[in-house]
Amino acid sequence: MQDSPRAGWLAAPYVLWLLAAFAAPLGAVALLSVQESGEIFAPISLWPSAAQYAEILGDSFFLRLLLNTALLGLAVAAASAVLAYPLALWLTRLSPRAKPFGFAIILVPLLTNVVVRSLGIILLLAPRGVVSNAAQALGFPPLNLLFGWFAVGLSLVQVFLPFMVLALYDVLDGQEKRLEEAAAGLGAGPAMRFWRVIFPLSLPGLRGGLTLVFLMASTAYVSATLVGGRKVQVTGMVVLREGMEILNYPLASALAMLMLATSILVTFVFARAIGGMTPWVQARPPRSWPSLPPALRRVVVAAAEAVAPVVSRILLLAAIAILLFPLLLVAVASVNDSPQATVAQFVGFTWKWYAAVLQNERYLSDAWTSLQIALCCVVISLGLALPAAFALVRAGFTGKEAVGAFLMLPLALPGIAIGLGMLRLLQWFNQIPPFLGVLAVHVVLVTPFMLALLRASVAQLDRGLEEAAGGLGATPSRVFRRVILPQLAPGIAVSCVIGFLLSFGEVTVTAFLTTARLQTLPVRIYAEATFSLENTVNAISTIFILVTVALLVLVNRLMPLDRVWKR
């Protein structure tokens, strides 16, 4: 395991897997998008045609669809940034003993199934939900905030806010605290310290958070389908409909490729905008900005200092409430003696919905399928990610950073395109069992997260112990078993738990690949939440939440939660 160019070959299995299960589906989507005909049985042509793109760009419906989806993604990214700053700063200021509990507020929603969180937003905004009941108690008419852009935006903020918080926490926690202390010593108040010291230094993390949240929010369709009630149309929903219901794969593929192009364009714009705001990174002179007159500036600064503490506390409480309150509503609804899943008014306590879940063979069968896929996914992902982590840390070869970026690429591209491409590949090569197709995609989605965690664990290995064992005559395999593996054990366990939760709860891509004989539990919940309002949905969702909490408690015993994602 010493530094060697040959150690780079340890990443080869992961690269080959990506070529087969990531690049191939993406290539299939690219090929389908340039077909002349959208007919189901039309032969595949290798001569590219712009017919599908012309149809999309010449139709006002599709243009509005792409524009509205992009604006939704930008709005969700902006709202997430506003809410994430107070929460990320609060996390950096917690004591070491309290930080794991603070991170639980972030990680429990992050690792809980997206359908579960959307159900919580429905309970919050439904006609007889919490917000409507609160409005009536205050003398206002009942509200129905569901089935609109606000509801969809709020649900997406709830889903993707943890990613923004974690992106900002990494840079905020690493900032030099003496800079803020020096600014305070020079008389700067909290608002000016944030604007002049904290915010500029956090811009690299903000760029990563904005990019990640936009990429995910602009391609999401599960929350939009459930909370928007099909009255709000986003690109992902149309891709799913065109590909799964209408079977117009060329048009669906062209839409997916346009989503990819939009993602790349917005990522470039974010990079240029943040780059212009951080000239010191490129060693460029700062731009001169017009300044306010001194008297007006003093008024603005005084007003900002007066309202900043109150606004920051309100935003902090709002962020925590958005993350946790929907999950609490789902748990309460799961023991509510009401047959309708979206009624937040408590009728009476009952366990009958849990009994109905445990007696439902479909739930149990789908849970077993999800468990099999998740366990197989973790085993394969570990076998791919651990050698790749050693390759990226220990190997010294040209292009290592490029290889590392390629291995993390699935996180930056729309999952819808991967799901659509794998669906078409499974139809072309129908000898491949659907289980293997779903498993292959899950491995593609989960392995980058496990690689990031394991790469940090490998980087922290004590090389002195390995050298001492080698000096005493231990063979490389014995050094790995007796010295390296015990040091890696906590990191391996943590990455496996996180990978299991991500795979077990995945629904966005899996919905493309499930069949009548192969259904996962999250897809089952998604389908029932879409077409049925029985309260068993809340019961199985609460079980999801409890499993997530229990596994995170286990992770915290192995490694404090604040260290897990700081890696």
Side-chain angles (χ1 to χ4, degrees):
M1 292 299 175
Q2 300 300 315
D3 290 355
S4 168
R6 290 185 300 173
W9 287 103
L10 292 172
Y14 188 8
V15 172
L16 293 175
W17 189 280
L18 285 184
L19 291 176
F22 175 70
L26 199 60
V29 171
L31 177 63
L32 288 168
S33 71
V34 293
Q35 297 301 302
E36 177 73 29
S37 173
E39 296 294 330
I40 300 176
F41 300 107
I44 296 296
S45 172
L46 298 180
W47 293 101
S49 169
Q52 306 303 326
Y53 293 98
E55 180 178 350
I56 293 171
L57 298 178
D59 191 323
S60 60
F61 167 77
F62 287 119
L63 293 178
R64 285 196 306 271
L65 180 73
L66 291 168
L67 178 61
N68 289 339
T69 303
L71 292 176
L72 176 65
L74 291 172
V76 170
S80 298
V82 171
L83 292 170
Y85 264 106
L87 187 50
L89 286 170
W90 175 69
L91 288 174
T92 63
R93 293 162 183 169
L94 289 177
S95 65
R97 178 171 295 183
K99 269 191 178 181
F101 298 98
F103 263 80
I105 296 174
I106 309 299
L107 295 180
V108 170
L110 174 65
L111 297 172
T112 300
N113 181 270
V114 63
V115 179
V116 176
R117 290 183 275 173
S118 298
L119 289 173
I121 297 296
I122 292 174
L123 289 168
L124 185 68
L125 302 179
R128 296 172 63 185
V130 174
V131 172
S132 180
N133 291 338
Q136 286 183 284
L138 295 174
F140 294 98
L143 301 175
N144 181 12
L145 299 176
L146 279 180
F147 312 140
W149 289 102
F150 171 78
V152 173
L154 180 63
S155 67
L156 293 178
V157 169
Q158 201 273 345
V159 169
F160 300 123
L161 177 59
F163 291 98
M164 181 68 75
V165 174
L166 294 171
L168 290 175
Y169 175 81
D170 280 342
V171 293
L172 292 174
D173 192 53
Q175 286 183 2
E176 179 58 65
K177 301 299 187 290
R178 288 178 296 180
L179 294 175
E180 191 176 353
E181 295 170 0
L186 293 172
M192 287 300 101
R193 292 201 300 271
F194 173 80
W195 187 248
R196 293 297 184 88
V197 179
I198 296 174
F199 179 73
L201 295 177
S202 68
L203 286 175
L206 178 61
R207 180 183 66 182
L210 288 173
T211 301
L212 188 60
V213 171
F214 174 81
L215 289 174
M216 294 186 293
S218 62
T219 59
Y221 68 87
V222 172
S223 295
T225 302
L226 295 176
V227 181
R230 297 188 182 273
K231 293 184 178 180
V232 173
Q233 294 285 326
V234 295
T235 309
M237 294 169 59
V238 177
V239 170
L240 182 68
R241 184 173 67 242
E242 292 288 338
M244 298 288 291
E245 299 175 12
I246 304 176
L247 302 181
N248 189 347
Y249 293 107
L251 186 64
S253 299
L255 269 176
M257 294 304 293
L258 287 174
M259 292 170 65
L260 175 59
T262 303
S263 301
I264 294 173
L265 176 62
V266 173
T267 300
F268 176 76
V269 171
F270 282 153
R272 289 296 300 270
I274 300 296
M277 298 169 66
T278 54
W280 57 86
V281 176
Q282 289 84 21
R284 292 186 287 104
R287 294 181 180 179
S288 59
W289 300 95
S291 58
L292 297 173
L296 180 59
R297 182 179 181 278
R298 285 193 294 270
V299 172
V300 171
V301 170
E305 295 295 351
V307 302
V310 177
V311 171
S312 64
R313 289 187 179 92
I314 292 174
L315 291 176
L316 174 61
L317 293 176
I320 295 175
I322 288 173
L323 288 175
L324 296 184
F325 194 56
L327 302 185
L328 178 62
L329 290 178
V330 170
V332 172
S334 70
V335 292
N336 187 8
D337 194 10
S338 170
Q340 193 171 7
T342 57
V343 175
Q345 184 177 0
F346 197 79
V347 177
F349 185 88
T350 181
W351 292 108
K352 67 180 181 181
W353 307 119
Y354 289 92
V357 168
L358 297 177
Q359 294 169 2
N360 191 319
E361 293 185 1
R362 292 182 303 172
Y363 280 133
L364 297 178
S365 175
D366 295 342
W368 173 240
T369 300
S370 295
L371 181 63
Q372 287 178 299
I373 292 174
L375 290 175
C376 292
C377 175
V378 166
V379 172
I380 296 173
S381 296
L382 179 62
L384 297 173
L386 186 57
F390 275 98
L392 295 178
V393 174
R394 297 286 181 91
F397 60 92
T398 304
K400 182 168 72 172
E401 293 304 320
V403 172
F406 174 71
L407 297 183
M408 303 300 289
L409 196 59
L411 300 181
L413 295 179
I416 289 176
I418 304 172
L420 182 64
M422 181 59 74
L423 172 64
R424 203 65 181 109
L425 287 177
L426 290 176
Q427 292 173 342
W428 286 339
F429 304 98
N430 51 26
Q431 297 86 357
I432 301 176
F435 181 90
L436 295 183
V438 175
L439 177 60
V441 171
H442 276 227
V443 171
V444 168
L445 299 175
V446 169
T447 307
F449 287 97
M450 295 183 65
L451 174 61
L453 296 170
L454 291 171
R455 188 174 180 179
S457 297
V458 173
Q460 295 172 2
L461 288 174
D462 188 343
R463 304 289 290 273
L465 295 177
E466 300 174 41
E467 295 170 358
L472 293 172
T475 62
S477 61
R478 191 175 182 85
V479 170
F480 180 79
R481 293 195 312 271
R482 295 298 183 88
V483 179
I484 295 176
L485 203 55
Q487 295 181 74
L488 286 177
I492 290 175
V494 167
S495 66
C496 288
V497 172
I498 299 297
F500 175 85
L501 287 172
L502 292 172
S503 176
F504 194 85
E506 211 291 317
V507 62
T508 305
V509 178
T510 311
F512 282 87
L513 304 175
T514 54
T515 65
R517 296 184 178 181
L518 180 73
Q519 187 88 288
T520 64
L521 187 57
V523 174
R524 171 74 66 186
I525 298 174
Y526 171 56
E528 294 199 359
T530 305
F531 301 107
S532 172
L533 294 176
E534 291 186 1
N535 219 0
T536 50
V537 172
N538 287 320
I540 192 65
S541 299
T542 304
I543 295 174
F544 260 108
I545 297 171
L546 294 176
V547 169
T548 302
V549 171
L551 289 177
L552 284 179
V553 170
L554 173 62
V555 167
N556 190 59
R557 293 182 65 87
L558 298 169
M559 183 183 300
L561 291 179
D562 58 301
R563 286 180 54 197
V564 170
W565 228 264
K566 187 70 169 62
R567 302 157 74 83

